[in-house]
């Protein structure tokens, strides 16, 4: 077990709830936001983009981010054929959606059910609250645009303590129910948790030779469910391999083992994709080139051209941004700095980031299974990066042994010359990994007792 300080008990804080119908006026001072049930909200679909739908319901509507709503379409008003009395609109239930974000004048949502067909732009709709999810009010009053340099960002939410000593975290709909799940990997197990933090499925490696190092979740085979890719150090065969795990009927089973590592990275377009790299732990050749991961004819395979850059050797802790049409590599250095490689020259952060306790020494070379480096792409190129910093116990001496007492989440903004610190989130234990949502970040935090909690932050 890692030596980390015990952090305080974690509590969910429930966000204010606006009970409103078509009245979108602000709440009056002193109005009880928690009393009564929320009335349905009527509005229109502005547009759909893939699996994201935009509504004309903004922040004054009282729509709750991350909560689940029953979505219905509203047809023409029905009238009594004899009396002419209005019977209300023709309401047709469509399914459930999760609210992704609520902006000043609009909101976004995605299906909470796989079979839901999103309504077209111009459709009149009704949203009725189905499942309220906790979002602390502090997050609503601290927009990212208002952060000052070096500001401390509060958490959106914290999960209860989960019985696993995490080494990494990923997110994805692993059972195809339309709701995003959180996947945690420990050294000997992988577990998937639902939005209510109840265990959905779990896999335990009972062999004596394996040790999980990282985890990814993505629907690569296109069946509507995210596969779980758990990278393991197989000491018996002296290689790194990836277990492809499936979650169904409350069980997690291994489908196949791939003879290479699988890790996500930003490809320069603003998207996160899965890459692969073979590593021969016992041979003379350390690692192969990095390729994209694909699926064809019922098999996983390396696809496309290799990911080329003369400074890129290891699949963990790197990504690309664009400078004009040219890709620019951003990665963690061997001294735990964030380094940006331009066409002519490079730049490094003076501070250290991306520290990890997950390491493997291969022929006197240390391979570090660094947390993801999340790159924010702007209209003109690099906008910033989100990164973790684990702080060594007993000053810097303990870093060589992977002993960390606490951690921080950092957002660094690119100002054209350097990455400047904008805000940080203080974490109460060791930060095992970071995962990305469109509007938020999830961090797996390990306490001194070996249990873990997932902390979320707004971007």
């Amino acid at each position: 077990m890692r030596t980390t300080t015990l952090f305080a008990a974690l509590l969910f804080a429930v966000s204010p709830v606006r009970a409103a119908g078509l009245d979108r006026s602000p709440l009056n001072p002193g109005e009880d936001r928690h009393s009564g049930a929320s009335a349905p909200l009527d509005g229109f679909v502005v547009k759909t983009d893939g699996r994201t739908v935009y509504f004309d319901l903004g922040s004054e509507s009282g729509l709750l981010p991350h909560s689940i709503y029953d979505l219905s379409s509203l047809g023409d008003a029905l009238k009594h054929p004899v009396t002419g009395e209005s019977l209300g609109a023709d309401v047709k239930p469509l399914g459930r959606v999760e609210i992704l974000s609520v902006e000043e004048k609009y909101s976004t949502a995605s299906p909470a059910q796989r079979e839901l067909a999103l309504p077209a732009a111009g459709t009149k709709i009704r949203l009725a609250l189905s499942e309220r999810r906790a979002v602390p009010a502090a997050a609503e009053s601290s927009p990212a645009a208002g952060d000052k340099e070096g500001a401390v960002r509060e958490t959106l939410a914290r999960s209860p303590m989960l019985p696993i000593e995490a080494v990494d975290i990923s997110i994805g709909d692993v059972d195809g129910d339309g709701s995003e799940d959180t996947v945690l990997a420990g050294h000997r197990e992988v577990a998937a948790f639902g939005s209510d933090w109840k265990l959905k499925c779990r896999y335990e490696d009972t062999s004596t030779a394996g040790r999980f190092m990282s985890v990814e979740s993505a629907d690569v085979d296109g069946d509507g469910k995210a596969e779980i890719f758990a990278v393991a150090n197989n000491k018996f065969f002296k290689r790194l391999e990836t277990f492809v795990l499936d979650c169904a009927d409350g069980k997690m089973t291994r489908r196949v083992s791939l003879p290479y590592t699988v890790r996500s990275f930003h490809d320069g377009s603003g998207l996160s994709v899965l890459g692969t790299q073979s590593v021969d732990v016992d041979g003379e050749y350390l690692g192969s080139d990095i390729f994209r991961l694909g699926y064809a004819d019922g098999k996983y395979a390396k696809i496309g051209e290799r990911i080329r850059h003369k400074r890129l050797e290891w699949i963990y802790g790197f990504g690309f941004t664009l400078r004009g049409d040219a890709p620019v590599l951003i990665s963690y250095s061997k001294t735990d700095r964030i380094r940006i490689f331009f066409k002519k020259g490079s730049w490094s952060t003076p501070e250290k980031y991306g520290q990890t306790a997950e390491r493997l020494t291969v022929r006197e070379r240390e391979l570090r299974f660094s947390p993801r480096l999340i790159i924010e792409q702007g209209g003109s190129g690099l906008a910033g990066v989100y990164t973790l910093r684990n702080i060594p116990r007993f000053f810097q001496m303990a870093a060589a042994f992977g002993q960390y007492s606490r951690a921080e989440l950092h957002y660094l903004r690119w100002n054209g010359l350097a990455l400047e610190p904008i805000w940080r989130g203080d974490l109460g234990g060791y930060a095992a990994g970071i995962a990305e949502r469109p509007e938020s970040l999830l961090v797996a935090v390990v306490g001194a007792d070996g249990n873990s909690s997932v902390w979320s932050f707004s971007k």
Side-chain angles (χ1 to χ4, degrees):
M1 182 187 303
R2 295 186 192 86
T3 306
T4 58
T5 56
L6 179 63
F7 53 83
L10 306 178
L11 299 176
F12 282 107
V14 180
S15 66
V17 177
R18 171 72 190 276
L22 293 177
D23 176 15
R24 301 180 187 176
S25 60
L27 290 175
N28 296 323
E31 182 176 345
D32 186 358
R33 296 173 179 258
H34 299 278
S35 62
S38 296
L41 298 169
D42 292 354
F44 287 89
V45 174
V46 178
K47 72 169 185 176
T48 58
D49 183 5
R51 299 294 283 170
T52 301
V53 59
Y54 292 72
F55 302 123
D56 68 338
L57 299 169
S59 56
E60 291 187 356
S61 70
L63 205 59
L64 299 174
H66 310 299
S67 291
I68 304 297
Y69 283 78
D70 292 320
L71 173 66
S72 302
S73 64
L74 300 181
D76 295 334
L78 300 175
K79 291 187 178 181
H80 193 283
V82 177
T83 65
E85 179 185 1
S86 176
L87 304 178
D90 181 15
V91 181
K92 295 181 179 180
L94 300 177
R96 306 172 77 212
V97 295
E98 178 181 359
I99 304 301
L100 300 178
S101 65
V102 180
E103 309 299 336
E104 181 180 359
K105 294 185 178 180
Y106 72 93
S107 54
T108 63
S110 65
Q113 297 170 294
R114 183 173 53 176
E115 65 274 11
L116 173 61
L118 294 175
T123 302
K124 190 174 183 179
I125 56 91
R126 174 168 292 169
L127 293 171
L129 182 63
S130 173
E131 178 184 342
R132 181 179 300 167
R133 295 183 179 176
V135 180
E140 299 176 1
S141 62
S142 302
D147 284 327
K148 297 180 180 180
E149 183 175 339
V152 176
R153 176 72 61 88
E154 298 297 327
T155 57
L156 286 174
R158 304 178 187 182
S159 80
M161 298 303 295
L162 305 172
I164 181 173
E165 186 175 3
V167 299
D168 200 10
I169 182 175
S170 65
I171 53 177
D173 180 7
V174 300
D175 58 357
D177 66 353
S179 180
E180 190 176 66
D181 306 304
T182 302
V183 179
L184 295 178
H187 284 141
R188 307 292 299 173
E189 62 182 317
V190 178
F193 300 89
S195 58
D196 57 0
W197 299 110
K198 292 182 180 179
L199 181 67
K200 281 195 170 182
C201 51
R202 176 179 177 271
Y203 178 86
E204 183 178 2
D205 184 9
T206 58
S207 70
T208 59
R211 176 186 173 101
F212 291 120
M213 310 299 286
S214 66
V215 69
E216 297 286 348
S217 304
D219 182 12
V220 179
D221 62 6
D223 68 349
K225 298 190 296 183
E227 305 99 273
I228 298 170
F229 300 89
V231 174
N233 175 22
N234 190 317
K235 298 179 181 179
F236 182 80
F237 290 105
K238 297 183 178 181
R239 72 182 182 193
L240 291 173
E241 60 185 351
T242 299
F243 291 0
V244 182
L245 307 174
D246 294 311
C247 180
D249 301 323
K251 298 180 181 179
M252 190 180 296
T253 56
R254 182 167 64 176
R255 184 195 307 186
V256 68
S257 295
L258 306 177
Y260 42 74
T261 62
V262 173
R263 191 60 167 172
S264 61
F265 66 93
H266 283 254
D267 66 354
S269 67
L271 297 177
S272 179
V273 299
L274 291 183
T276 72
Q277 184 180 33
S278 299
V279 178
D280 186 0
V281 175
D282 196 39
E284 295 182 0
Y285 185 64
L286 178 61
S288 69
D289 295 324
I290 299 173
F291 290 86
R292 292 275 296 271
L293 178 67
Y295 188 85
D297 300 325
K299 296 181 179 180
Y300 295 95
K302 301 176 181 180
I303 61 173
E305 298 182 355
R306 72 180 179 92
I307 311 300
R308 297 175 178 269
H309 196 285
K310 62 181 181 180
R311 298 289 186 177
L312 180 58
E313 298 179 346
W314 181 227
I315 196 171
Y316 284 82
F318 84 94
F320 290 97
T321 184
L322 294 178
R323 187 181 178 92
D325 294 330
V328 174
L329 174 67
I330 306 177
S331 67
Y332 293 120
S333 70
K334 295 179 181 178
T335 57
D336 293 326
R337 266 77 176 183
I338 298 176
R339 193 170 182 184
I340 306 177
F341 295 93
F342 299 103
K343 188 174 182 180
K344 295 182 179 179
S346 64
W347 179 89
S348 297
T349 59
E351 299 84 10
K352 294 185 176 184
Y353 301 97
Q355 299 92 337
T356 179
E358 306 311 315
R359 306 171 184 184
L360 177 63
T361 301
V362 179
R363 293 184 300 283
E364 299 183 355
R365 177 181 173 181
E366 186 177 64
L367 300 180
R368 301 185 183 186
F369 295 78
S370 305
R372 297 174 187 87
L373 183 59
I374 296 177
I375 299 172
E376 184 180 44
Q377 186 80 9
S380 58
L382 177 63
V385 299
Y386 298 95
T387 180
L388 295 176
R389 169 189 285 167
N390 278 302
I391 300 170
R393 185 177 176 86
F394 305 124
F395 305 102
Q396 195 60 33
M397 293 186 297
F401 303 97
Q403 298 292 321
Y404 300 101
S405 60
R406 59 187 180 88
E408 298 168 345
L409 169 65
H410 284 261
Y411 173 62
L412 310 177
R413 183 173 59 198
W414 179 250
N415 62 15
L417 298 174
L419 288 171
E420 56 179 346
I422 299 300
W423 60 261
R424 78 174 193 273
D426 292 329
L427 307 168
Y430 169 75
I434 181 173
E436 179 183 19
R437 285 175 172 164
E439 305 294 336
S440 62
L441 302 162
L442 301 182
V443 181
V445 184
V446 183
D449 60 355
N451 293 324
S452 303
S453 175
V454 178
W455 296 24
S456 63
F457 294 82
S458 63
K459 287 186 174 178

